[in-house]
Amino acid sequence: METEPMARRILVTGAGTGIGRAAALKLAADGFDIAVHCRSHLEEAEELALAIRAMGRQAAVVPFDVGDTRQAEECLTADIEQHGAYWGIVSNAGIVRDAPLPGMERDDWFDVININLNGFYNVVKPCIMPMIHLRCGGRIVVVSSVSGITGNRGQTNYSASKGGLIAAAKSLALELAKRGITVNSVAPGLIETPMTDPALKEQILPMIPLRRAGQPEDVAAVISFLCSDGAAYITRQTIGVNGGMC
């Protein structure tokens, strides 16, 4: 049976903007302390940390490149040593480099795979054993995409990375189940974030039964539930947040 530590911390990657920011704020409102990760949005991350502290929770900014294995391990290990192990991880950081495959540049393929998929390994790997040593269960939520389920024209690289995340989450869920650590993925559809291409939005809107784009808070609400005590018996699942697209 799970026992609760004095303060449960959740690492949210890519927390400076969009879904990551909304998730960090919602989880802080739920009573968690937050490790706010960013790579380039340091000012936004610092502002977010201040907002979380104003809510009465602890917040530490942890800046590093999720695509850099050594940098990720060093920064995460230092934060864990200073503030304690994470009870939860929201693996959200990602990039988009859309193009039809025949015209896709080599870097556009490898950068997306490295940040989106290899970044999952770089972030989660250093955190797992400290999480296990807490002996109080835990939550890992991976932000994938509807593109990782259905594929999408012009997003072969992105779809490959996001589909890989779903498979990785399912496998990790099996490995960590006996520790009481759940691992699930969330697959957003069209969400209004700084990464949203206006042309792509107009193309996709007619395909959405709810006839609107989602908001970061729509995804954050699902992440919040998956990190809650009420989701303790949910693992190895992928939950779509897509307005009925699939």
Side-chain angles (χ1 to χ4, degrees):
M1 190 168 180
E2 294 186 6
T3 58
E4 187 170 294
M6 292 296 292
R8 296 188 294 184
R9 300 182 70 219
I10 294 183
L11 167 68
V12 182
T13 67
T17 61
I19 292 171
R21 184 179 193 279
L25 286 171
K26 180 69 173 83
L27 291 167
D30 292 342
F32 294 103
D33 293 338
I34 307 295
V36 178
H37 162 265
C38 68
R39 180 180 65 163
S40 56
H41 296 278
L42 184 57
E43 183 176 346
E44 291 90 337
E46 295 285 2
E47 291 174 357
L48 174 60
L50 286 174
I52 291 170
R53 293 181 195 122
M55 298 165 67
R57 306 313 311 171
Q58 297 297 312
V61 176
V62 190
F64 62 89
D65 180 356
V66 299
D68 186 322
T69 305
R70 179 174 295 179
Q71 186 182 118
E73 181 176 9
E74 289 176 353
C75 292
L76 290 168
T77 299
D79 182 63
I80 290 169
E81 289 177 351
Q82 182 176 358
H83 299 107
Y86 309 122
W87 182 82
I89 302 169
V90 178
S91 180
N92 165 73
I95 62 171
V96 176
R97 300 273 181 83
D98 292 351
L101 188 61
M104 184 177 292
E105 298 294 332
R106 181 186 186 280
D107 286 349
D108 290 341
W109 174 273
F110 284 98
D111 287 352
V112 168
I113 296 296
N114 189 46
I115 296 296
N116 297 0
L117 186 54
N118 295 343
F120 165 82
Y121 170 86
N122 293 341
V123 167
V124 174
K125 172 66 163 53
C127 302
I128 287 179
M129 290 311 299
M131 181 183 290
I132 289 173
H133 290 154
L134 286 175
R135 298 184 182 277
C136 59
R139 305 284 186 267
I140 298 175
V141 181
V142 180
V143 179
S144 178
S145 169
V146 66
S147 294
I149 299 172
T150 65
N152 191 36
R153 185 175 299 170
Q155 289 193 318
T156 306
N157 52 356
Y158 186 74
S159 297
S161 69
K162 293 297 187 175
L165 286 174
I166 291 173
K170 288 180 179 293
S171 296
L172 185 60
L174 293 174
E175 295 177 1
L176 297 180
K178 66 181 179 182
R179 307 287 188 175
I181 299 172
T182 67
V183 186
N184 295 287
S185 54
V186 177
L190 179 64
I191 306 296
E192 293 272 15
T193 74
M195 290 173 60
T196 305
D197 182 342
L200 184 63
K201 176 182 175 180
E202 292 305 312
Q203 175 189 336
I204 293 177
L205 272 176
M207 302 163 54
I208 302 174
L210 286 182
R211 289 294 189 267
R212 69 171 178 87
Q215 298 300 313
E217 290 75 16
D218 294 321
V219 185
V222 178
I223 294 171
S224 166
F225 169 68
L226 289 174
C227 290
S228 72
D229 292 337
Y233 198 58
I234 299 173
T235 196
R236 209 182 176 206
Q237 305 303 306
T238 302
I239 300 178
V241 187
N242 55 46
M245 285 180 68
C246 69

